[in-house]
Amino acid sequence: MDLFEIEEPITDTAFEPVFQPAPAFLNELNKEQKKGKIKYIYQSENQYIIQIVKDDRKLKEGVWNADSKSWILAPKNYTIEILNTEHQIYALQKEKEGKYILFNNKTKQKIGSKSYDSIDSNGWVRYTNENKQQIYYYIDILTGKEYKD
């Protein structure tokens, strides 16, 4: 029996990994892709963030719906952070050292036009400007509107 590390649930607070038997839905995933950590998305409709790995290195993450047995968000991003489960607002990081963008998974649209070094679920962002200064401020994660001093 395969054992996978499943971190559950994803909420606005920290969570601890739990080792348990691999969920049956993993049989539906592409057999060519090796899976890493699997995180259940709290209060979702049976959705999981699944890492695709190679040589024990994380390559990408995607969001899998275990009921429909399909990718909701294909594994094309290095990191997917769930900022708001009700509105399905995610922070997506395309590459390992890249910046994050806001993404509305319901509409499949980028929110706003900026990218950030980090985005918290409360809207607190960190941005490094062209002078290498780190700037912190709040944004509305639903609209991308910025609230600077």
Side-chain angles (χ1 to χ4, degrees):
M1 176 186 314
D2 289 335
L3 291 180
F4 286 82
E5 182 177 354
I6 298 184
E7 298 176 355
E8 54 180 321
I10 295 177
T11 63
D12 293 337
T13 60
F15 48 91
E16 294 294 321
V18 176
F19 289 93
Q20 58 188 34
F25 71 78
L26 286 178
N27 296 330
E28 306 295 329
L29 294 170
N30 184 342
K31 303 258 189 260
E32 308 300 313
Q33 295 175 322
K34 184 176 177 191
K35 282 56 131 192
K37 289 182 180 178
I38 300 169
K39 303 176 202 173
Y40 171 71
I41 300 175
Y42 181 71
Q43 295 181 332
S44 71
E45 298 174 5
N46 213 6
Q47 297 175 7
Y48 298 81
I49 295 177
I50 298 179
Q51 289 182 354
I52 305 301
V53 298
K54 182 177 182 180
D55 300 326
D56 294 327
R57 283 185 317 113
K58 178 173 91 166
L59 295 178
K60 298 290 181 181
E61 291 184 342
V63 177
W64 178 261
N65 184 309
D67 291 333
S68 67
K69 298 176 177 60
S70 62
W71 290 108
I72 295 169
L73 194 58
K76 295 181 179 180
N77 295 285
Y78 185 77
T79 303
I80 300 171
E81 298 288 339
I82 307 300
L83 302 179
N84 183 299
T85 53
E86 178 184 352
H87 296 285
Q88 294 186 32
I89 305 300
Y90 302 168
L92 304 180
Q93 183 185 39
K94 207 69 161 156
E95 303 298 329
K96 184 175 183 177
E97 301 297 325
K99 294 191 179 286
Y100 289 86
I101 62 162
L102 279 173
F103 183 78
N104 182 324
N105 192 50
K106 286 184 179 179
T107 64
K108 304 293 186 202
Q109 298 286 320
K110 180 179 175 182
I111 301 171
S113 59
K114 282 224 158 163
S115 57
Y116 305 94
D117 298 318
S118 66
I119 307 172
D120 292 341
S121 61
N122 66 359
W124 185 246
V125 297
R126 180 172 47 91
Y127 171 76
T128 304
N129 68 14
E130 59 278 349
N131 297 326
K132 305 274 189 235
Q133 295 175 308
Q134 293 189 352
I135 301 167
Y136 297 86
Y137 54 92
Y138 283 100
I139 60 170
D140 180 337
I141 64 169
L142 300 179
T143 66
K145 182 178 178 182
E146 297 180 340
Y147 299 95
K148 296 181 181 179
D149 290 336

